[in-house]
Amino acid sequence: MAGDPQAPVILCLHGFPEYAGAFDDLVPHLEERFFLVAPDQRGYGQSWRPTEVDHYAPAALVADAAAILRHYSPDKPVAAVLGHDWGAAVAYGLAFRHPALFERLIIANGVHPIPFQRALAAGGAQSKASQYINWLRAEGSEVKLTENNHLRMMSLFSEHMDMSWMDAGKVAAYRAAWGTADQVRGMVNWYRASNLKVAAPGQPLPPAALPQWPAHTLRVPMPHLLLWGEEDTALLPDCHAGLEDFCDDLTRVSLTGADHWLLHQKPAEVARHIRQFLR
């Protein structure tokens, strides 16, 4: 938590393989005007980290975030929810299921489930880029991720990305947050509990093989800002193609010179767009 508790609240939801520290670079640029709440989500850092996959069903993760919103603002909606990576999935879930709890949705290099599933199933570039999902879902991936002082985890974190922001202090903090293989299992279980389907490259999945999600239940009713680091190699432009079809009020902002880790690479620019969106 940072900022004045009486200021407008922004709930900040991190993704994989981060923890609440994902917002450390952004907070100084926003804390004068907002009260930022950045929890370790279930399975991460100092939060509850059960080992069973069913504890990570999307509905449970969204319920966690909804409880936090109600705790910090029991009588009125908070100003915004900000989600990055997997945190975006939870933020979208809040928009679908609990739109009365917050006024505006901000997504930073995260995906709405329908465009993302469409890209994953196509057998093209996004399917190829997302093959790591199947690797993470395999039993024992948490052991491989923690071997040799989290070498594989750090490699997964940094592959084809600009990691100049990751100094020695951050490396130590991330390794401490990740912990043992039993603890990392909770992080990986987010992938195992998801029903997203990933096609093999060049082998598109038929529509009948995909989750059947009624589009009207996955609509974003509040004003929505999408911040996108253009050089992201994990999530490609196909992931948000056609997003307007699922939003009542969408604003897109592209950030040059940034990739998936835009919150660390361009925190001042990200904060400027957030302030403008919430003004």
Side-chain angles (χ1 to χ4, degrees), residues 10-258:
I10 302 177
L11 175 61
C12 304
L13 300 171
H14 68 83
F16 178 93
E18 299 200 83
Y19 68 110
F23 299 96
D24 285 353
D25 295 319
L26 182 64
V27 164
H29 299 279
L30 292 172
E31 61 185 347
E32 288 188 6
R33 290 184 52 186
F34 301 99
F35 183 59
L36 294 109
V37 179
D40 287 330
Q41 295 205 77
R42 183 184 300 210
Y44 289 83
Q46 299 181 54
S47 189
W48 184 42
R49 301 175 84 163
T51 58
E52 299 85 359
V53 173
D54 58 1
H55 283 296
Y56 298 89
L61 304 175
V62 171
D64 288 346
I68 294 171
L69 291 175
R70 293 189 181 100
H71 173 79
Y72 283 98
S73 188
D75 301 321
K76 63 180 182 179
V78 308
V81 173
L82 164 60
H84 173 255
D85 189 79
W86 265 116
V90 178
Y92 274 122
L94 286 169
F96 306 151
R97 301 182 185 194
H98 303 285
L101 296 181
F102 62 109
E103 295 177 341
R104 298 193 170 219
L105 173 66
I106 305 168
I107 300 295
N109 283 68
V111 291
H112 184 287
I114 293 180
F116 187 43
Q117 178 60 92
R118 190 163 53 212
L120 287 176
Q126 186 60 60
S127 300
K128 182 178 180 181
S130 296
Q131 290 303 301
Y132 71 91
I133 292 176
N134 291 330
W135 185 88
L136 287 171
R137 285 171 167 170
E139 191 61 38
S141 64
E142 57 268 31
V143 175
K144 297 174 183 176
L145 288 169
T146 53
E147 290 173 344
N148 300 313
N149 202 18
H150 304 96
L151 180 63
R152 192 71 176 267
M153 181 81 86
M154 191 59 71
S155 175
L156 192 64
F157 204 157
S158 60
E159 188 173 9
H160 306 304
M161 302 288 185
D162 172 17
M163 301 300 288
S164 58
W165 57 271
M166 178 69 86
D167 58 26
K170 283 187 171 69
V171 170
Y174 273 87
R175 284 175 171 154
W178 292 334
T180 66
D182 284 346
Q183 292 170 312
V184 169
R185 180 176 175 83
M187 299 166 58
V188 174
N189 279 347
W190 282 56
Y191 290 91
R192 294 172 176 147
S194 168
N195 61 353
L196 288 169
K197 307 295 184 183
V198 185
Q203 301 178 38
L205 295 173
L210 304 180
Q212 301 303 305
W213 294 321
H216 71 277
T217 67
L218 301 180
R219 189 158 192 86
V220 179
M222 69 278 293
H224 174 5
L225 173 64
L226 176 66
L227 298 166
W228 199 267
E230 293 181 351
E231 298 173 17
D232 195 339
T233 57
L235 297 176
L236 307 179
D238 283 353
C239 290
H240 54 88
L243 180 59
E244 287 84 356
D245 295 341
F246 306 98
C247 303
D248 290 351
D249 181 358
L250 175 64
T251 301
R252 293 177 179 265
V253 174
S254 293
L255 283 75
T256 59

Side-chain angles (χ1 to χ4, degrees), residues 253-266:
V253 174
S254 293
L255 283 75
T256 59
D259 56 40
H260 194 69
W261 309 120
L262 73 168
L263 299 180
H264 303 283
Q265 297 157 341
K266 301 278 186 176

